[in-house]
Amino acid sequence: MSAVIYPKVALIGLGLIAGSMAHAMRRAGLAETITGYARSAETRKIAREINLVDEVCDSALEAARDADLVVLCVPVGVMGAVAAEIAPGLKPGAVVTDVGSVKAAVIEAVAPHIPEGVHFIPGHPLAGTEHSGPRSGFAELFDNRWCLLVPVEGSDPGEVARLTRYWEGLGSNVDVMDAEHHDLVLAVTSHAPHLIAYTMVGVADDLRRVTDSEVIKYSAAGFRDFTRIAASDPTMWRDVFLSNKAATLEILGRFTEELFALQRAIRTEDGDHLHDYFTRTRAIRRGIIDAGQDTDAPDFGRAVASKAKARTE
Amino acid sequence: MSAVIYPKVALIGLGLIAGSMAHAMRRAGLAETITGYARSAETRKIAREINLVDEVCDSALEAARDADLVVLCVPVGVMGAVAAEIAPGLKPGAVVTDVGSVKAAVIEAVAPHIPEGVHFIPGHPLAGTEHSGPRSGFAELFDNRWCLLVPVEGSDPGEVARLTRYWEGLGSNVDVMDAEHHDLVLAVTSHAPHLIAYTMVGVADDLRRVTDSEVIKYSAAGFRDFTRIAASDPTMWRDVFLSNKAATLEILGRFTEELFALQRAIRTEDGDHLHDYFTRTRAIRRGIIDAGQDTDAPDFGRAVASKAKARTE
Ligand SMILES: NC(=O)c1ccc[n+]([C@@H]2O[C@H](COP(=O)([O-])OP(=O)(O)OC[C@H]3O[C@@H](n4cnc5c(N)ncnc54)[C@H](OP(=O)(O)O)[C@@H]3O)[C@@H](O)[C@H]2O)c1
Ligand SMILES: NC(=O)c1ccc[n+]([C@@H]2O[C@H](COP(=O)([O-])OP(=O)(O)OC[C@H]3O[C@@H](n4cnc5c(N)ncnc54)[C@H](OP(=O)(O)O)[C@@H]3O)[C@@H](O)[C@H]2O)c1
């Protein structure tokens, strides 16, 4: 039995997510042909050199033409424009999905461009790294991570089921939810944490009384964890915050309230409050490890990673 | 030539830091005898079972008696009490140091108890994991990390040089700075980041509209990074915040200011401001990787860590 789910898949955008999808599709044999397109000639050239997909096209329209599945893997802010561009090439019965980190704004931007007879089923894989670009993808990125599908009004249940099988073939678990809830959940589990990390790194960079060189040398005391997230792609994250404004600001408001309460506990030397708070937060970490969503190796297994690297050098 | 720097070393407290020091001392042969003491009978029992040190004593006084080097490896809030307890057993010419994450408050608490003729040279290794207890230590913890020595008035330069050689023998690089600057640097690189991470995890745990099970399943989108830090020992961290109040509150004040500025940029849709900010913060990450203070493997090399674990199972 063939594993092919969509004979021809088009990836628009050829960065971390699209590249990882290409590797994972090939690993599982989910497609017969993969086409791709990225905005810059440089990225297209690299994609050809490393044979990232079967055919790198010189326009999004050409890549999407006659595809069974088109995946929009571009920053959230340009999803609408890209959808408009590919619309004329979409064949009846084709499925269009996306991997954008925000859903309500993407649906609003993309849905109007989807022709009659084409299925639009938005999605979002909850997996990534701080790296980007055509060389950053790898087949294991989605293994045991969750992908959220966010069907719109009129999404065909059979097509949602097929897209579910496709993401499972890429290694993911799949859940379905509505766009508003998705955007709130992601504000908590991703968008607010990223903004906070960017802010903390910015503060450290700005201080006069502590030099950047001190911050760098002494970063292993905790700070370096924040710098990984804060090294993520600026365009992607600008777009995320601008497109998930309300939910992000809501969570940041809650965050600031709690932070003030903890600052007050420090100021008034309320050690019991601090101790209780720090005890309660451990349960979530245990839950994440038990759910297989993080490694239980100390320090994310950094020591292992450095040794594995040393072995290959 | 023998590598022994202090013939008899006493470790007061037998947790992550003391345990890692014991393993690293043995790796390099820096001591002839290592004694140890921890508050609970349970910890002392485990330490004996796993042969963590050469002799586990039943009081701090006994462990410290006639030691050439005594290292206080207990939470910052009890350093003073422990120093008072060991003082009668300290021999002339002995060196007392500590590994506490805060320096001004520890010096204030410990210095009055140090007898004439004993050298007190505070210290702080900038290395750790989220784990604690007698089984959590490992010999590599300090390799290529920094240890800060914070000599007090009258610290003998020759003894500071000896303690420097000792930390280098444990794998560290050593810098010297004063207590006030240490506490500010650590507020930036460690204390504020930890409080922020604890807060973010607390907020996620408190939300009604997003369940804990959703937070856990979808944590790979960024949030899980914060949970590692927020799983650190509650007693240790309560003590850190209470003993480094002023500097921590100062940095948190700066953080809140910046966070408000970024929230305003989101609200007013100032995409350029966001993009510039997110671009600037990448340089610090690059600096940290170039300085060998973090792995450049994507996602801290988590994939490698899980695979290495799978191989040994
Ligand atoms: N990174 C994550 O952790 C993560 C996780 C889940 C979802 N996502 C979402 O996945 C999407 C892609 O992210 P990524 O991490 O793969 O980013 P990436 O590595 O930066 O790749 C983005 C790709 O989009 C292309 N692109 C940008 N603007 C375009 C345009 N106007 N027309 C056509 N192509 C364009 C880029 O081309 P050039 O190379 O030529 O600029 C690049 O190939 C985003 O919507 C993001 O929100 C990301
Ligand atoms: N963890 C880090 O990342 C890190 C990094 C740098 C510096 N530090 C500093 O290192 C010190 C120790 O931290 P750790 O991570 O090693 O902690 P840990 O693993 O929790 O160990 C603390 C040890 O102190 C003992 N202890 C607690 N109260 C005591 C008392 N009143 N008298 C005698 N022993 C007592 C504990 O005994 P029981 O087991 O019997 O309770 C335990 O053996 C702290 O000052 C911390 O600020 C920690």
Side-chain angles (χ1 to χ4, degrees), chain A residues 41-90:
Chain A
E42 174 66 13
T43 297
R44 298 198 296 273
K45 180 163 162 277
I46 295 170
R48 284 187 184 109
E49 269 168 29
I50 65 176
N51 189 28
L52 188 61
V53 295
D54 300 313
E55 192 192 345
V56 177
C57 304
D58 283 316
S59 76
L61 178 62
E62 204 188 316
R65 194 181 302 284
D66 294 328
D68 301 286
L69 175 70
V70 180
V71 191
L72 309 181
C73 305
V74 297
V76 163
V78 295
M79 292 274 182
V82 169
E85 213 177 315
I86 61 167
L90 296 172

Side-chain angles (χ1 to χ4, degrees), chain A residues 12-18 37-41 43-44 60 72-76 78-79 81-82 85 99-102 124-134 136 233 236-237 240:
Chain A
I12 314 297
L14 291 171
L16 171 70
I17 301 296
Y37 168 75
R39 176 188 43 179
S40 69
T43 297
R44 298 198 296 273
L72 309 181
C73 305
V74 297
V76 163
V78 295
M79 292 274 182
V82 169
E85 213 177 315
V99 297
S101 307
V102 175
H124 178 203
L126 306 185
T129 77
E130 69 277 27
H131 294 181
S132 55
S136 58
D233 187 65
M236 166 181 163
W237 283 98
V240 166

Side-chain angles (χ1 to χ4, degrees), chain A residues 201-279:
Chain A
V201 178
V203 167
D205 186 36
D206 269 353
L207 282 179
R208 296 252 175 102
R209 286 158 59 209
V210 179
T211 65
D212 274 14
S213 127
E214 288 176 314
V215 165
I216 287 169
K217 278 163 77 176
Y218 310 139
S219 61
F223 177 75
R224 61 178 179 171
D225 282 32
F226 285 52
T227 63
R228 185 188 78 79
I229 281 190
S232 301
D233 187 65
T235 302
M236 166 181 163
W237 283 98
R238 177 200 60 199
D239 284 7
V240 166
F241 295 119
L242 295 182
S243 339
N244 197 20
K245 224 167 113 163
T248 304
L249 292 176
E250 179 189 333
I251 300 301
L252 290 173
R254 296 291 303 267
F255 171 84
T256 314
E257 251 176 54
E258 290 276 334
L259 185 62
F260 283 161
L262 287 172
Q263 282 179 259
R264 197 163 43 241
I266 294 176
R267 193 172 283 116
T268 61
E269 304 193 353
D270 185 349
D272 290 343
H273 180 86
L274 295 174
H275 195 277
D276 289 353
Y277 202 96
F278 301 163
T279 303

Side-chain angles (χ1 to χ4, degrees), chain A residues 220-221, chain B residues 12-19 37-44 60 72-79 81-82 85 98-102 106 123-134 136 141-142 190 194 232-233 235-237 239-240:
Chain B
I12 313 299
L14 291 170
L16 170 70
I17 300 297
Y37 167 76
R39 178 185 44 179
S40 68
E42 174 64 14
T43 297
R44 296 196 298 271
L72 308 181
C73 305
V74 297
V76 164
V78 295
M79 292 276 181
V82 169
E85 214 178 314
D98 76 299
V99 297
S101 307
V102 175
V106 167
H124 178 203
L126 306 185
T129 77
E130 68 278 25
H131 295 181
S132 54
S136 58
L141 181 64
F142 308 111
S190 183
H194 274 79
S232 300
D233 186 66
T235 303
M236 166 182 163
W237 283 98
D239 285 8
V240 166

Side-chain angles (χ1 to χ4, degrees), chain A residues 126 128-131 145-146 148 175 177 181 184-186 188-190 192-196 198-207 209-210 212 214-235 237-238 241-242 245 249-252 254-256 258-260 262-263 266-267 269 271 274-275 277-282 284-285 287-288 291 293-302 304-305 307-309 311, chain B residues 126 128-131 140 145-146 148 175 177 181 184-186 188-190 192-196 198-207 209-210 212 214-235 237-238 241-242 245 249-252 254-256 258-260 262-263 266-267 269 271 274-275 277-282 284-285 287-288 291 293-302 304-305 308-309 311:
Chain A
L126 306 185
T129 77
E130 69 277 27
H131 294 181
R145 298 283 88 85
W146 288 86
L148 299 177
D175 270 345
M177 64 173 66
H181 192 61
L184 181 68
V185 168
L186 268 290
V188 182
T189 58
S190 182
H194 274 80
L195 196 75
I196 287 164
Y198 276 120
T199 306
M200 186 64 230
V201 178
V203 167
D205 186 36
D206 269 353
L207 282 179
R209 286 158 59 209
V210 179
D212 274 14
E214 288 176 314
V215 165
I216 287 169
K217 278 163 77 176
Y218 310 139
S219 61
F223 177 75
R224 61 178 179 171
D225 282 32
F226 285 52
T227 63
R228 185 188 78 79
I229 281 190
S232 301
D233 187 65
T235 302
W237 283 98
R238 177 200 60 199
F241 295 119
L242 295 182
K245 224 167 113 163
L249 292 176
E250 179 189 333
I251 300 301
L252 290 173
R254 296 291 303 267
F255 171 84
T256 314
E258 290 276 334
L259 185 62
F260 283 161
L262 287 172
Q263 282 179 259
I266 294 176
R267 193 172 283 116
E269 304 193 353
L274 295 174
H275 195 277
Y277 202 96
F278 301 163
T279 303
R280 187 162 67 73
T281 49
R282 298 184 114 174
I284 293 246
R285 176 80 188 159
I288 288 173
Q293 293 304 314
D294 207 348
T295 172
D296 61 351
D299 215 10
F300 302 125
R302 274 174 172 123
V304 180
K307 275 186 207 158
K309 187 164 172 265
R311 265 200 304 275
Chain B
L126 306 185
T129 77
E130 68 278 25
H131 295 181
E140 298 79 17
R145 298 282 87 85
W146 288 87
L148 299 178
D175 270 346
M177 64 174 65
H181 192 61
L184 180 68
V185 168
L186 268 289
V188 182
T189 58
S190 183
H194 274 79
L195 196 76
I196 287 164
Y198 275 119
T199 306
M200 186 64 231
V201 178
V203 167
D205 186 37
D206 269 353
L207 281 180
R209 287 158 61 208
V210 178
D212 274 13
E214 288 177 314
V215 166
I216 287 168
K217 278 163 77 176
Y218 310 139
S219 61
F223 177 75
R224 62 178 178 170
D225 282 31
F226 285 54
T227 64
R228 184 187 78 78
I229 280 190
S232 300
D233 186 66
T235 303
W237 283 98
R238 176 200 61 198
F241 294 121
L242 296 182
K245 226 167 110 161
L249 291 175
E250 178 189 335
I251 299 301
L252 290 172
R254 295 290 304 265
F255 172 83
T256 314
E258 290 276 332
L259 185 63
F260 284 161
L262 287 172
Q263 282 179 257
I266 294 176
R267 192 172 284 115
E269 306 194 351
L274 296 174
H275 195 278
Y277 202 95
F278 302 163
T279 304
R280 188 160 66 74
T281 49
R282 298 185 113 172
I284 293 248
R285 175 81 187 158
I288 288 173
Q293 292 304 314
D294 207 346
T295 171
D296 61 352
D299 214 12
F300 300 127
R302 273 173 172 123
V304 180
K309 185 165 174 265
R311 264 200 305 274

Side-chain angles (χ1 to χ4, degrees), chain B residues 37-58:
Chain B
Y37 167 76
R39 178 185 44 179
S40 68
E42 174 64 14
T43 297
R44 296 196 298 271
K45 180 163 161 278
I46 295 170
R48 283 185 185 110
E49 269 167 32
I50 65 176
N51 190 28
L52 188 60
V53 295
D54 301 313
E55 192 193 346
V56 176
C57 303
D58 281 318

